[in-house]
Amino acid sequence: MTDSATTPGTDVMIRLDRVRKCYPGQAVDAVAELSLDIRAGEIVVLLGPSGCGKTTTMRLINRLIEPSSGRIFLDGKDVTAVNPDLLRRRIGYVIQQVGLFPHMTIGDNVGLIPRTLGWDKARTKARVDTLLDLVGLEPARYRDRFPKQLSGGQQQRVGVARALAADPPVMLMDEPFGAIDPVTRERLQDEFLKLQAQIGKTIVIVTHDVAEAVKLGDRIAIFAEGARLAQYDTPERILSEPADEFVSSFLGTGTAVRRLGLRRVGDLRFEPLDGTRPIDDRCVVRADQSVHDALDVMLRTGSEIVTVTDGTGEPIGLLPFTTVLDHHPTDGDDPSRPRERSGH
Amino acid sequence: MSFASYLAQRWQHILVLVAQHAEVVAIAVSIATVVGVGLGVAVHGRPLANRLALAATGTVLTIPSFALFGLLIPLVGLGTAPTVTALALYAIFPILRNTITGLESVPASVADAAIGMGLSRTRRLLTVRLPLAWPVVITGIRLATIMVVAIAAIAASVAGPGLGQLIFHGLAHTGGVNALNDTLAGVIGVALLALALDLLFTVLFRLTTSRGIRD
Ligand SMILES: Nc1ncnc2c1ncn2[C@@H]1O[C@H](COP(=O)(O)OP(=O)(O)OP(=O)(O)O)[C@@H](O)[C@H]1O
Ligand SMILES: [Mg+2]
């Protein structure tokens, strides 16, 4: 069984080496000479406008689309010419439209690849139950249902569980939270991050939602037309130092606020508790919440200062609005301010 | 002789003919299912082969059954052989067409997921595409069955087995004793057999189609 026992952040798990894809009959390349390294254990988000080649790039990795030229490496080995079915069993793939098998129960959907790999019934069932638990679906309740008996969000999770079934070291997810309402979407994203903290896969996610990219990505690859890699960096650096005009215009306004979401309250230097002040229980944030959440509390309650608590709800300090301001870099490159375009 | 006393006297003989009738239909439809589904799978995704197969098997349907039975005599002789051959030829088209339609109705996302998870071609066919196409395929088999139950009656013209013998005998001896009763028994027998097979398929459909794709 494969396991991502590699040290996160060091080994390259996926390497695209000058990969090019030109669809037959098309004048321009959908992907033009793309080179991209994705390290083991990290979440890389492919972000870019519609039609820029995100899906094509992702499907080049598991060779659902064969490259016109260039080479693809997985875990150091050239997989450009290996049997694609064998390659795909090492790469979990969550397609945008979920694509559960409607004639199979949830359990059979998730267990199909383990069964194909020759696992016995008992081992498969144990695996299915573990995975359903992992994605927050009670096995006893959902195992024997059919896909049509699940909500869209639940189906989405089954899709993720199915892709995880054979414990592949790599996961490709094409807009996995695409067709879900904002509230459920946010919850699924949170669950997903928790899940990744447990399983530590190498994950490539496609999205065209900046907020989602910032929230989920260890690194973000911003694509321009033809899968030209406009910038490939951490969310923090992409938001604070967009590489060019294309990136900053794609990120749009609000990047300063988005950056607040990247920072934990606990990372700021907050002030000691001040015994004279009664604690208003509406003006409270946990240290593991984001600065964005803290600001949200301030705006909602009209208070310039909030109490910070630890995981158990015990107050540990105070966070005034001025601290939030002080900690927020406001360099001239701040993309939230409209830039002056050179006129032509 | 009244129809009732005719039945009372001849029911055993009639039942034997019903059984023979059902038997040739079953054999012919089984052969046609293997050929039709196999052909459907083979031409799926190949537009030219697809059209050729449909055109060829569809043309068979335009040959009057009387003529087809006759044309087969020099090739396979008289009796059961031309009967089964002709019925199978007629039954292929509905089964082939529904197999093609069924396979085409598999949602692209489902097919994509199956490829993406590394299922081999054969696996995809057996575990995903055919089971999903099955409700449409079995409907084709059902249509083919009902259709050939009626055509099988003509098989008596080439000395084929079944209820056609009663009908032909009755028609050949119009005015004779029991001529009308023979014809009537044959015609009613065919209709009842068709009805019974139709019911059988309703049950088969429920037994063989996943609850996940039944409404
Ligand atoms: N099968 C195909 N045949 C021809 N051209 C294609 C095909 N699939 C995609 N393209 C073209 O390739 C380019 C990249 O498409 P791709 O689907 O990778 O974009 P994307 O970044 O995923 O867009 P979106 O955000 O809208 O999903 C587009 O210009 C598209 O029109
Ligand atoms: Mg896409």
Side-chain angles (χ1 to χ4, degrees):
Chain A
M1 205 165 63
T2 41
D3 207 330
S4 47
T6 37
T7 338
T10 51
D11 303 349
V12 172
M13 180 58 97
I14 302 167
R15 164 168 289 169
L16 301 182
D17 179 23
R18 281 165 299 153
V19 169
R20 190 177 63 85
K21 174 66 190 181
C22 184
Y23 287 106
Q26 303 280 304
V28 290
D29 292 345
V31 171
E33 294 262 314
L34 173 67
S35 294
L36 188 73
D37 280 2
I38 293 165
R39 287 181 242 154
E42 74 177 350
I43 300 178
V44 165
V45 179
L46 309 185
L47 179 66
S50 191
C52 67
K54 304 181 295 293
T55 298
T56 305
T57 302
M58 172 167 276
R59 290 162 73 92
L60 282 164
I61 296 174
N62 65 0
R63 297 205 10 237
L64 278 174
I65 295 173
E66 296 288 356
S68 308
S69 67
R71 292 190 302 165
I72 299 149
F73 295 84
L74 189 75
D75 205 8
K77 281 178 280 294
D78 188 340
V79 293
T80 323
V82 303
N83 176 335
D85 287 336
L86 296 182
L87 174 69
R88 289 174 197 140
R89 287 188 204 153
R90 293 162 59 202
I91 304 178
Y93 181 43
V94 181
I95 71 168
Q96 185 174 357
Q97 307 84 348
V98 191
L100 295 185
F101 303 132
H103 61 299
M104 294 185 193
T105 61
I106 300 309
D108 289 343
N109 264 280
V110 177
L112 181 59
I113 282 297
R115 294 292 284 163
T116 307
L117 295 177
W119 296 21
D120 62 35
K121 271 217 172 81
R123 185 172 168 215
T124 305
K125 182 174 176 295
R127 179 73 182 151
V128 167
D129 286 2
T130 309
L131 286 167
L132 289 181
D133 255 333
L134 206 60
V135 297
L137 295 171
E138 199 189 313
R141 243 180 100 189
Y142 292 99
R143 195 196 300 122
D144 298 320
R145 290 202 193 176
F146 286 96
K148 68 174 181 190
Q149 297 166 310
L150 264 56
S151 75
Q154 292 169 335
Q155 292 188 19
Q156 198 78 257
R157 298 185 216 192
V158 176
V160 174
R162 182 175 65 175
L164 284 167
D167 203 13
V170 174
M171 296 276 285
L172 307 177
M173 309 174 85
D174 200 342
E175 305 203 28
F177 312 118
I180 299 181
D181 71 90
V183 178
T184 312
R185 184 181 178 135
E186 196 133 331
R187 216 189 55 234
L188 277 180
Q189 290 169 347
D190 290 334
E191 286 173 12
F192 172 74
L193 285 174
K194 264 190 230 151
L195 186 63
Q196 167 66 354
Q198 295 174 52
I199 58 181
K201 305 277 178 200
T202 306
I203 299 176
V204 183
I205 298 183
V206 164
T207 183
H208 48 235
D209 177 6
V210 177
E212 181 165 277
V214 168
K215 179 164 183 180
L216 299 181
D218 292 316
R219 287 199 289 168
I220 299 175
I222 298 198
F223 282 6
E225 195 64 27
R228 179 181 69 81
L229 197 51
Q231 189 170 6
Y232 185 30
D233 216 326
T234 61
E236 177 69 39
R237 282 177 55 92
I238 282 185
L239 290 175
S240 59
E241 295 163 44
D244 58 21
E245 188 64 32
F246 169 80
V247 174
S248 47
S249 74
F250 182 76
L251 295 175
T253 55
T255 50
V257 174
R258 290 196 204 289
R259 284 165 71 193
L260 291 175
L262 289 170
R263 187 157 295 173
R264 307 289 106 193
V265 167
D267 297 339
L268 303 187
R269 203 170 334 101
F270 44 82
E271 293 175 5
L273 284 169
D274 161 1
T276 64
R277 195 188 298 263
I279 296 171
D280 180 344
D281 58 7
R282 290 180 309 141
C283 304
V284 168
V285 291
R286 289 190 320 273
D288 65 343
Q289 285 184 283
S290 69
V291 179
H292 187 276
D293 294 334
L295 197 63
D296 187 61
V297 170
M298 291 175 187
L299 291 172
R300 270 192 290 122
T301 59
S303 163
E304 281 179 24
I305 188 160
V306 292
T307 307
V308 182
T309 62
D310 63 12
T312 64
E314 197 59 35
I316 52 174
L318 296 169
L319 180 70
F321 178 62
T322 48
T323 308
V324 175
L325 271 190
D326 290 348
H327 277 78
H328 204 65
T330 52
D331 48 58
D333 231 22
D334 191 337
S336 65
R337 285 188 214 143
R339 285 176 156 224
E340 285 181 3
R341 289 165 188 277
S342 45
H344 50 68
Chain B
M1 201 189 298
S2 75
F3 191 55
S5 47
Y6 164 85
L7 282 184
Q9 195 182 67
R10 309 288 292 274
W11 65 271
Q12 277 171 316
H13 176 61
I14 296 173
L15 274 190
V16 170
L17 291 179
V18 168
Q20 285 178 356
H21 203 101
E23 191 185 354
V24 287
V25 168
I27 296 171
V29 170
S30 302
I31 295 171
T33 299
V34 172
V35 176
V37 173
L39 203 57
V41 167
V43 301
H44 177 68
R46 299 189 178 92
L48 188 67
N50 200 317
R51 246 174 299 148
L52 272 175
L54 281 177
T57 54
T59 307
V60 175
L61 281 184
T62 65
I63 308 175
S65 45
F66 223 41
L68 185 57
F69 282 121
L71 286 171
L72 285 170
I73 297 175
L75 296 174
V76 290
L78 287 169
T80 308
T83 309
V84 169
T85 311
L87 296 185
L89 282 174
Y90 282 122
I92 289 174
F93 178 76
I95 298 175
L96 172 69
R97 193 200 51 195
N98 277 35
T99 303
I100 291 172
T101 312
L103 289 175
E104 275 168 359
S105 72
V106 175
S109 63
V110 172
D112 216 33
I115 301 174
M117 65 203 283
L119 292 180
S120 67
R121 232 186 126 74
T122 321
R123 279 271 175 185
R124 289 203 298 275
L125 182 70
L126 295 180
T127 56
V128 180
R129 287 166 49 212
L130 273 182
L132 283 177
W134 183 246
V136 185
V137 175
I138 195 175
T139 304
I141 300 175
R142 173 186 185 157
L143 286 174
T145 304
I146 305 307
M147 189 178 82
V148 299
V149 163
I151 299 177
I154 316 293
S157 64
V158 288
L163 290 161
Q165 291 182 354
L166 275 183
I167 300 174
F168 271 68
H169 187 265
L171 291 177
H173 297 85
T174 308
V177 186
N178 282 337
L180 188 61
N181 283 338
D182 279 344
T183 310
L184 211 57
V187 170
I188 294 174
V190 168
L192 288 180
L193 182 60
L195 214 62
L197 288 173
D198 202 37
L199 273 175
L200 175 72
F201 270 100
T202 309
V203 176
L204 272 181
F205 184 92
R206 287 197 71 83
L207 289 179
T208 57
T209 307
S210 154
R211 251 189 322 123
I213 49 176
R214 261 182 355 225
D215 323 287

